[in-house]
Amino acid sequence: MLRTYGERVHKVAIDAGLSCPNRDGSKGIGGCTFCNNVTFSPNGRAPDPILEQIQNGREVLIKRTGAKKYIAYFQAYTNTYSDIETLSKMYETALSEDDIIGLSIGTRPDCVPDEVIDLLVDYQNKGFDIWLELGLQSAFDKTLKRINRGHGFEEYRQTLLAARGKGLRVCTHLIIGLPGENETHFKATLQRVLNLGVDGLKFHPLHVVKGTQLANDWRRGEYRPMTMEYYVKAVSDLIMMAPKDMIYHRLTGTANKKQLLAPGWCNKKWKVLNSIEAELRSKNKEKVLWN
Ligand code: SF4
């Protein structure tokens, strides 16, 4: 971003008030086992209008970072899960702000029809910085079934190829520490993702939050969270596998203290990031990200 725009660009997170097909019965019921839908709208009320959310985010970011340009990050739920008129209206509301230079659209791989890809490509052709963020989590269908994801690797493959085939950049979201998985699984997942081609990656540790099926499994002792050391090594190993020009949208995830049950280190973002940097430095200086 610094290289492209000559200044910092930050994401402003937006909840557009959409739902998720893995919750409302069209793909599944109950959602992914790790997902607490309440965390997106803690008061159970409708989100503020998009422009209001941008203004609130902008005020915080300008004070904290001095950033004057932003990417509208449609983050909560499934941000392509509506008719095309509704989607274009909400995306264009964000893009109508002078300091919003692009969009990042978080969604599920089984919920991105061609008309949505075409719409996003159209924004890109108009000069906006556009990313499609696909939640894959694992390339193993057995794992995806176990976490009640409601889609398999094949849906990801098709959407990825369709989007990138039209020149849209894709960021793939992967989770480390999924039940039944170990190092072999997440490395194989990344290899399959890299083999198909991808523009950006987002890594997230699996954490246990209140109100989820995973929380029940954890309470019964059926799920054991990772240590920070394990996660740091895992992320560093994955970075070492990826090409040098890969764009990392995120290397760890945090959770609201009130919602987080385990592991406790998940709310120490900078400790995790600094440890990943130290691990990378010890492996290979060329892969260090913050130089
Ligand atoms: S993680 Fe995403 S796809 Fe899964 S239930 Fe939650 S909102 Fe839906």
Side-chain angles (χ1 to χ4, degrees):
M1 285 300 178
L2 271 176
R3 222 177 286 147
T4 307
Y5 297 99
E7 60 185 291
R8 296 178 74 123
V9 177
H10 272 261
K11 278 181 179 163
V12 178
I14 292 172
D15 177 351
L18 299 185
S19 179
C20 169
N22 199 23
R23 303 170 60 228
D24 68 8
S26 73
K27 297 278 179 190
I29 298 171
C32 306
T33 58
F34 54 79
C35 175
N36 178 350
N37 303 302
V38 178
T39 53
F40 289 138
S41 49
N43 305 319
R45 61 175 171 79
D48 294 331
I50 287 174
L51 292 182
E52 211 170 293
Q53 292 184 53
I54 291 176
Q55 179 54 21
N56 292 340
R58 181 192 276 137
E59 279 170 20
V60 173
L61 288 169
I62 205 157
K63 251 190 245 157
R64 219 176 60 199
T65 68
K68 294 188 225 68
K69 285 191 168 75
Y70 312 96
I71 286 190
Y73 177 27
F74 287 82
Q75 181 178 24
Y77 300 110
T78 303
N79 291 285
T80 53
Y81 189 43
S82 193
D83 58 85
I84 199 75
E85 289 75 26
T86 306
L87 294 177
S88 57
K89 200 168 160 209
M90 71 189 211
Y91 300 153
E92 284 161 31
T93 298
L95 291 174
S96 68
E97 295 288 280
D98 287 344
D99 52 4
I100 300 288
I101 55 129
L103 304 173
S104 184
I105 309 293
T107 190
R108 296 164 54 86
D110 57 351
C111 203
V112 192
D114 283 348
E115 58 181 359
V116 171
I117 293 175
D118 291 341
L119 180 69
L120 297 177
V121 169
D122 190 41
Y123 298 145
Q124 188 165 270
N125 291 341
K126 287 178 178 148
F128 290 110
D129 208 300
I130 308 292
W131 284 88
L132 179 67
E133 185 181 311
L134 295 179
L136 171 63
Q137 324 312 0
S138 169
F140 289 85
D141 285 347
K142 194 174 164 195
T143 304
L144 296 177
K145 201 161 181 208
R146 183 163 173 181
I147 60 173
N148 195 37
R149 206 42 214 166
H151 68 75
F153 185 76
E154 180 54 23
E155 287 91 330
Y156 168 79
R157 191 187 71 82
Q158 285 176 15
T159 302
L160 183 281
L161 293 180
R164 292 190 88 233
K166 289 185 174 173
L168 195 60
R169 288 177 306 169
V170 174
C171 167
T172 298
H173 187 291
L174 299 175
I175 296 182
I176 296 166
L178 288 166
E181 292 210 343
N182 59 31
E183 195 182 337
T184 320
H185 295 87
F186 54 72
K187 284 186 177 169
T189 286
L190 180 62
Q191 198 53 61
R192 287 185 81 182
V193 167
L194 295 176
N195 289 348
L196 279 178
V198 73
D199 308 280
L201 291 170
K202 201 169 210 183
F203 297 133
H204 206 295
L206 183 64
H207 55 217
V208 185
V209 292
K210 290 179 186 166
T212 60
Q213 181 55 45
L214 187 66
N216 298 337
D217 298 344
W218 172 73
R219 281 196 193 93
R220 286 195 299 264
E222 290 165 14
Y223 175 71
R224 256 205 15 234
M226 291 167 290
T227 62
M228 189 181 95
E229 291 67 31
Y230 181 91
Y231 181 72
V232 165
K233 184 173 180 312
V235 169
S236 309
D237 287 351
L238 294 178
I239 290 172
M240 296 299 290
M241 282 171 62
K244 225 176 114 184
D245 59 354
M246 184 59 67
I247 297 174
Y248 297 93
H249 292 233
R250 187 187 289 172
L251 292 181
T252 189
T254 46
N256 179 322
K257 264 190 186 169
K258 282 189 190 154
Q259 300 287 342
L260 181 67
L261 293 172
W265 55 265
C266 269
N267 58 26
K268 297 187 177 75
K269 181 174 110 177
W270 283 105
K271 192 173 177 197
V272 179
L273 290 177
N274 290 337
S275 304
I276 292 171
E277 182 181 8
E279 178 79 12
L280 287 170
R281 279 186 193 282
S282 73
K283 285 180 194 286
N284 179 346
K285 278 195 182 306
E286 285 199 352
K287 289 269 184 176
V288 175
L289 309 169
W290 289 274
N291 279 348

